[in-house]
Each structure stands twice: as structure tokens, then as C-alpha cells.
Amino acid sequence: MELADVADDLTEVLLTETQIHDKIAELARRVEQDYAGERPLLVGVLKGAVMVMADVARELKMHVDMDFMAVSSYGASTESSGVVRILKDLDADLEGRHVIIVEDIIDSGLTLAWLRANLESRGPASLEILALLRKPDAAKVDVDVKYFGFDIPNAFVVGYGLDYAERYRNLRGVAVLAPHVYS
Ligand code: 5GP
């Protein structure tokens, strides 16, 4: 779906499909260099990261494995609860693997900090994070994100995997959700 198809629900377009595509290609080139001769395991966090995962994986000119994990996040609210629960665990064994966590957005950073510690305890050979979007608060938290795409303002955004009450995930770009939708 195009951003224009739900223009009334959005206040500002932050990223177009082209901008996202170009940035993902740039990040993929770095991953190819850093993991030359390896076969990294991409770990996507459902459901928000599906679009980033699909595009990063297809952009990479190398063999990769893909696995998914689901953890609890905002639900239908727009604020982080800070509580992380595994809803679906990985199928893959991380022992000795070069793992890259693929995330859509880092807000408070709580989810990623928890996830990194959890996956680190499973004995990977290396563990890095790729995240498309980063909000201002994330900069204050000590999560080391090796590959990140864009810094965005502190607003609730939807599109490109990010939802509000399960809607808008299929938007091709990223935009700020209009307050009238959730108030
Ligand atoms: P954190 O733990 O970093 O505060 O939040 C991470 C998760 O919260 C993300 O993976 C995403 O699911 C959700 N999230 C954070 N900010 C936004 C936002 O602006 N829009 C949407 N749709 N989800 C968000």
C-alpha cells in the first residue's frame, strides 16, 4: 500500500520507499564486507522486522540463514511497557554462529538490550545489530548498534512493518501516525 492511500491517517512522511531501499543497499554492502567468507544468521524480530528482513536478505549477495523470533512489545498501546517476553523462540542453534539481529526500530532500547543479552548467552561466535530506525531516546541507552539506517524524531510512526493495532504494516514508506487515529 502507498502512503498516499492512507494520507488522512498520517501527518508527515518521514521516509519514502526509495530512501529506505537506498539505505538498505548501503547497509547490505557493509555486511557483505564485514562477513566475507562467512554465512551469517539473520535473526528477525516479528512482526515489525519482516520488511527490513526481507529487503536486507534479498539485497545481500551472499548466503545467509534467516530465523525469526517474536517478543512482546507495545500491543495496541503506543508506549513501551519495558516488559519483554518470548512469544516465539528461534529454531536455530546460535552456538558458534555469526548472528545479526535485524530490527525495525529502537525507541527506549529496552527490547534490544534484553534481546542482545539473551542471544549472547547462547554462545554465538559474534553478535551484531542492524536496525532501520532509531528514535532520540535510543541514543541514551547503551545498545551497540553496528548497522543503523535513520534517526527519526520522537513520534509514533507506522509503515514498512511498523503497525498501529496491526494496521499500516504494509505501507511502503514510514510516516507519523495522526493523533486522531489513536485518541
Ligand atoms: P523499545 O524497547 O526500543 O522501546 O521498543 C522497541 C519496539 O517497540 C519496536 O520493535 C517496535 O515494535 C515498537 N515501537 C517503538 N517505537 C515505535 C513506533 O514509533 N511505532 C511503532 N509502530 N512501533 C514502535
Side-chain angles (χ1 to χ4, degrees):
M1 189 160 65
E2 308 291 339
L3 292 165
D5 294 325
V6 285
D8 290 349
D9 294 352
L10 311 171
T11 54
E12 190 192 346
V13 171
L14 295 182
L15 300 167
T16 63
E17 184 180 17
T18 310
Q19 285 175 303
I20 295 171
H21 175 267
D22 291 352
K23 183 62 77 176
I24 284 182
E26 198 183 299
L27 297 179
R29 298 294 85 79
R30 287 178 50 202
V31 171
E32 286 161 1
Q33 280 198 339
D34 295 350
Y35 294 84
E38 305 288 349
R39 178 172 155 187
L41 168 65
L42 306 180
V43 169
V45 185
L46 295 171
K47 304 171 191 170
V50 286
M51 305 299 177
V52 193
M53 183 74 155
D55 284 347
V56 168
R58 284 180 296 180
E59 187 63 38
L60 286 170
K61 302 180 208 306
M62 68 196 302
H63 291 296
V64 293
D65 288 312
M66 295 162 75
D67 202 352
F68 292 93
M69 186 165 177
V71 300
S72 62
S73 69
Y74 290 0
S77 149
T78 56
E79 273 179 40
S80 187
S81 63
V83 181
V84 180
R85 241 174 355 117
I86 295 181
L87 305 177
K88 183 222 170 282
D89 208 344
L90 298 171
D91 297 324
D93 181 358
L94 301 193
E95 186 76 44
R97 299 298 309 267
H98 291 286
V99 177
I100 305 174
I101 300 173
V102 176
E103 255 288 30
D104 45 5
I105 190 167
I106 315 170
D107 184 2
S108 70
L110 291 171
T111 311
L112 263 188
W114 179 90
L115 197 61
R116 177 187 259 283
N118 183 287
L119 299 190
E120 196 75 72
S121 74
R122 305 183 192 195
S126 68
L127 180 61
E128 298 293 350
I129 297 169
L130 182 154
L132 185 69
L133 308 172
R134 186 170 71 172
K135 286 195 190 174
D137 284 348
K140 298 179 205 155
V141 190
D142 195 21
V143 221
D144 183 17
V145 179
K146 185 157 187 184
Y147 311 98
F148 87 91
F150 301 95
D151 277 308
I152 61 164
N154 210 355
F156 191 78
V157 299
V158 293
Y160 199 70
L162 292 165
D163 75 309
Y164 171 66
E166 298 302 325
R167 285 186 294 158
Y168 311 104
R169 288 194 199 278
N170 58 327
L171 288 176
R172 292 178 181 276
V174 172
V176 178
L177 189 64
H180 76 79
V181 178
Y182 55 85
S183 59

